[in-house]
Amino acid sequence: MPSCAGWIDVSRETSKIVGRNACGYCAEWTDRTDNFSCGVIPYGITPYKGSRMTDFRFATLENISNEVLLPVCNAAFADYIVPMQLDLTSLANTQQRRGFDASLSVGAFVGDELVAFHLICKGDWQGKQWLYDTMTGTVPSARGQGLAKRMFEWVMPRWREAGYTDCLLEVFCENHAARKSYEAMGFEVTRQFECARLETLAPLPLPPGVVVEQLDSKALPPEFASWLDEAPGWQNSLDSVRRTPQQLRQVRLLVQGRPAAVGLVVPQNGDVPVFAVAPKMRRRGLGGALLASLRGVSDKPLRFIMMTADSPSLHLIESVGGERHDRLQEMAWHFG
């Protein structure tokens, strides 16, 4: 599919010379006869006719309520690679967990109508303050006009004024157009993540001497950070865990009264942001026992996101029946 860069006036005489038609937005030559025909604007959707580059207004999202934002998000993601439909609660929970800041976020408007957005979060990332683009979307009727790039360009000076020089995001590996757009802005791929889902898992016998402890607490054992094989993605970072508004259930496996494995799960949706076993306690059955204990806490399938392909945790999840289902690329942009 071509990458539509915006509205370009196409001469009828030029069309006659090549004997083909051209998209009214990007002048991609095509054998189709509909007016907007490069494929970037889905057939059957009416674009903002007459909306040239200067007709869009850009602004931060400080004055945009979630009641206004929600239907725009759902329209933007209805035909996404992984279709997504949010409600007000899930949108607010996502914003809080990931550190949303409306003053650093940006929207594109036609008149007073919001048609595209970057939802930007802020927080500590590997010892430095970063920005994180948690959602980027454009409603179908406004696509093909370079709004993602133009919004970045508009908001970047405000980021610099606030003292930020780095931005992070993730993109589905299959979303080639979005990745190319981000690369054109200066983003570079830093890691590739796998996502997994564990539908069912029967209770497993605990290894000898292991005790299960359940806590309604986000406070992890002090030694937990040293158990990680890789730095977590933004959504699973310790900052994000601390900000999570939903009730988290913590499961610890204790050996001689000391934590040897720990996991966190959101019972309402099965999300598992934390899962780790102490290196010295591995290959003793604690990993499988921890997964079974987490599965017993939630009546939803367990969901694991942002693990690298060679992650021991991913291999363990697969060994007990879990399946990979999506791949993401983490991308970083150093614009300072």
Side-chain angles (χ1 to χ4, degrees), residues 39-234:
V40 176
I41 305 299
Y43 182 64
I45 293 177
T46 303
Y48 288 102
K49 294 183 178 180
S51 292
R52 297 177 179 271
M53 292 293 194
T54 55
D55 290 337
F56 289 99
R57 175 176 64 86
F58 302 99
T60 64
L61 299 182
E62 292 166 283
N63 297 318
I64 301 300
S65 68
N66 276 358
E67 286 77 10
V68 173
L69 180 60
L70 178 66
V72 181
C73 287
N74 286 339
F77 291 113
D79 59 350
Y80 195 49
I81 290 174
V82 179
M84 179 175 65
Q85 295 292 286
L86 301 170
D87 56 29
L88 284 172
T89 299
S90 59
L91 176 59
N93 287 344
T94 296
Q95 290 171 330
Q96 183 172 335
R97 175 172 173 177
R98 300 177 190 178
F100 175 68
D101 189 325
S103 70
L104 299 171
S105 301
V106 57
F109 298 80
V110 174
D112 293 327
E113 182 182 357
L114 178 66
V115 298
F117 55 84
H118 287 300
L119 303 190
I120 304 299
C121 306
K122 63 182 181 183
D124 181 78
W125 178 249
Q126 300 180 1
K128 182 180 178 182
Q129 288 297 302
W130 277 61
L131 299 175
Y132 175 68
D133 188 349
T134 190
M135 284 189 204
T136 292
T138 303
V139 300
S141 53
R143 292 175 188 164
Q145 304 200 53
L147 289 178
K149 180 180 179 181
R150 293 165 64 197
M151 286 189 293
F152 271 138
E153 292 173 340
W154 183 89
V155 78
M156 193 190 311
R158 290 157 178 79
W159 292 352
R160 289 196 176 108
E161 289 175 8
Y164 293 96
T165 58
D166 306 277
C167 185
L168 193 76
L169 56 77
E170 294 98 26
V171 61
F172 283 102
C173 291
E174 295 84 357
N175 196 346
H176 304 296
R179 188 178 70 250
K180 288 181 179 179
S181 174
Y182 295 137
E183 287 173 342
M185 282 298 303
F187 282 92
E188 296 180 350
V189 175
T190 51
R191 290 186 289 180
Q192 182 163 305
F193 291 128
E194 305 282 339
C195 301
R197 182 183 179 95
L198 182 60
E199 294 279 351
T200 59
L201 180 60
L204 298 175
L206 289 173
V210 175
V211 176
V212 177
E213 179 182 49
Q214 291 194 21
L215 306 168
D216 289 322
S217 172
K218 302 174 188 177
L220 296 165
E223 62 271 35
F224 167 76
S226 65
W227 298 357
L228 300 176
D229 295 304
E230 57 195 15
W234 184 284

Side-chain angles (χ1 to χ4, degrees), residues 216-256:
D216 289 322
S217 172
K218 302 174 188 177
L220 296 165
E223 62 271 35
F224 167 76
S226 65
W227 298 357
L228 300 176
D229 295 304
E230 57 195 15
W234 184 284
Q235 297 177 37
N236 292 341
S237 69
L238 295 184
D239 263 8
S240 290
V241 168
R242 296 186 189 104
R243 290 189 296 257
T244 299
Q246 300 113 309
Q247 181 65 53
L248 282 166
R249 192 71 173 165
Q250 183 174 169
V251 177
R252 295 184 181 186
L253 301 187
L254 307 180
V255 176
Q256 297 180 348

